[in-house]
Amino acid sequence: MFNRLLASIVLLAVSLFVCAEEESGMTAQQFWDSLNRQQGDIPLYGAGATLHVPEGFYFLDGNDSERVLVDVWGNIPGQNVLGMLFPADQTPFDDNSWAVTIEYEEEGYVSDEDAADIDYSELLQQMKDDIRAENKERAAMGYESIELIGWAAAPYYDASAKKLHWAKELRFGDEELHTLNYNIRVLGRKGVLVLNFIAGVDQLTTIESNLNNVLNIAEFDQGSTYADFNPDMDKVAAYGLGALITGKVLAKTGFLALALVFLKKFGVFIVLGLAALGRKLFSRNKEA
């Protein structure tokens, strides 16, 4: 059932992409050239944070990210991300491409007092149980089941930098190729920066080799850092670090979002392959 649904979505995405090219007269090369690829210090307005994008990466703002996620990778409109990070030597059209979406959740100051007390094995079992329970709803909506295989990378909290990261390995239905769900959370005074890698589980080594670089890119500005929290003025979130990992407090991290992560990654080469858009059409200047 899931494969049929995926095929339908992919075919729709192909049609939309081809129609968009026909209506705008824009080729894939022109689409690539139209993206405003940014480096250096980039403020995230509304989040009180700044990205320090080095030469090894480029940043796409929210508008360009929406175009990539929807027009190229076949997701539904309205992703509403602040932006995306890509390795400088890749385009969104490459079949081995990976990226990092960036969002901001202003839910208040997340206390890390329970950091040392979290039992990650117990947390993993709780998440597995929650996903199994949600599979009934998924089935009713025509989606295949999801199985949480385990940690692809166990949760790690850097108490000094106030950054939390972990990775889950997921299986959709009977698919042999598993999905990687790698997450970073940067804690701030009034909320949390949400960074999610979009990649396949076979790219875990690549992601881990770039993890420190990505961790260093996102920082809250002075006045919005975790240390700037004022208990007399600021809202405290109703949850701690454990809830950030389980995703119970953020609706976007539910099962529908997991399905979209799958399509974001695998839609790249499925959609472009069906549309007969080979690598030759996407030749580009990697140094641009």
Side-chain angles (χ1 to χ4, degrees):
M1 182 181 294
F2 181 74
N3 289 333
R4 291 196 298 272
L5 177 62
L6 177 59
S8 298
I9 294 175
V10 166
L11 289 173
L12 176 60
V14 170
S15 300
L16 292 174
F17 188 80
V18 172
C19 288
E21 279 196 323
E22 291 176 348
E23 292 178 4
S24 66
M26 180 180 291
T27 65
Q29 180 66 55
Q30 290 172 328
F31 185 99
W32 166 249
D33 291 338
S34 73
L35 297 174
N36 181 21
R37 304 184 293 279
Q38 305 175 54
Q39 293 177 326
D41 293 342
I42 301 168
L44 295 178
Y45 297 108
T50 299
L51 300 179
H52 308 289
V53 183
E55 292 184 356
F57 292 84
Y58 62 87
F59 172 78
L60 300 180
D61 66 15
N63 290 331
D64 277 346
S65 296
E66 177 81 0
R67 294 172 62 205
V68 168
L69 290 171
V70 176
D71 297 336
V72 180
W73 287 9
N75 287 273
I76 61 174
Q79 295 301 310
N80 295 323
V81 298
L82 296 178
M84 296 176 71
L85 291 167
F86 282 87
D89 62 350
Q90 292 184 357
T91 80
F93 304 109
D94 295 329
D95 58 9
N96 65 336
S97 66
W98 58 271
V100 181
T101 58
I102 302 171
E103 301 173 79
Y104 175 62
E105 299 288 348
E106 190 167 321
E107 300 288 338
Y109 172 90
V110 179
S111 174
D112 63 354
E113 291 182 354
D114 65 340
D117 301 325
I118 299 176
D119 184 333
Y120 291 120
S121 296
E122 181 179 331
L123 200 64
L124 179 63
Q125 187 59 53
Q126 175 187 336
M127 293 164 63
K128 288 183 175 182
D129 293 341
D130 289 343
I131 289 177
R132 289 193 191 99
E134 287 178 343
N135 278 332
K136 293 182 179 180
E137 185 176 354
R138 287 181 58 80
M141 297 180 67
Y143 287 90
E144 193 65 280
S145 63
I146 292 178
E147 179 185 0
L148 174 55
I149 304 298
W151 300 122
Y156 176 78
Y157 179 59
D158 185 334
S160 176
K162 306 301 180 185
K163 295 179 179 181
L164 171 70
H165 56 86
W166 72 96
K168 294 176 288 189
E169 181 178 350
L170 301 157
R171 177 166 57 201
F172 285 78
D174 297 324
E175 297 291 334
E176 294 183 3
L177 186 60
H178 294 180
T179 299
L180 180 67
N181 185 221
Y182 212 121
N183 304 268
I184 296 175
R185 301 293 183 267
V186 183
L187 277 59
R189 176 180 179 177
K190 297 182 179 181
V192 178
L193 282 174
V194 177
L195 283 71
N196 289 323
F197 285 87
I198 301 173
V201 74
D202 58 328
Q203 294 175 294
L204 178 60
T205 301
T206 299
I207 298 306
E208 290 184 329
S209 68
N210 284 276
L211 180 61
N212 286 334
N213 292 328
V214 173
L215 284 168
N216 292 331
I217 286 175
E219 298 287 351
F220 279 101
D221 301 330
Q222 191 64 36
S224 296
T225 69
Y226 198 78
D228 293 317
F229 171 69
N230 185 336
D232 296 326
M233 298 175 54
D234 299 328
K235 174 185 175 182
V236 177
Y239 50 85
L241 296 182
L244 287 179
I245 297 173
T246 62
K248 285 190 171 182
V249 296
L250 300 177
K252 292 181 182 178
T253 59
F255 68 85
L256 287 177
L258 291 175
L260 292 176
V261 168
F262 179 82
L263 292 177
K264 286 173 186 176
K265 173 58 188 170
F266 296 102
V268 175
F269 53 85
I270 293 174
V271 170
L272 297 182
L274 288 176
L277 300 177
R279 285 181 178 273
K280 292 182 180 180
L281 291 180
F282 305 121
S283 59
R284 79 282 185 191
N285 181 0
K286 290 186 178 181
E287 297 179 358

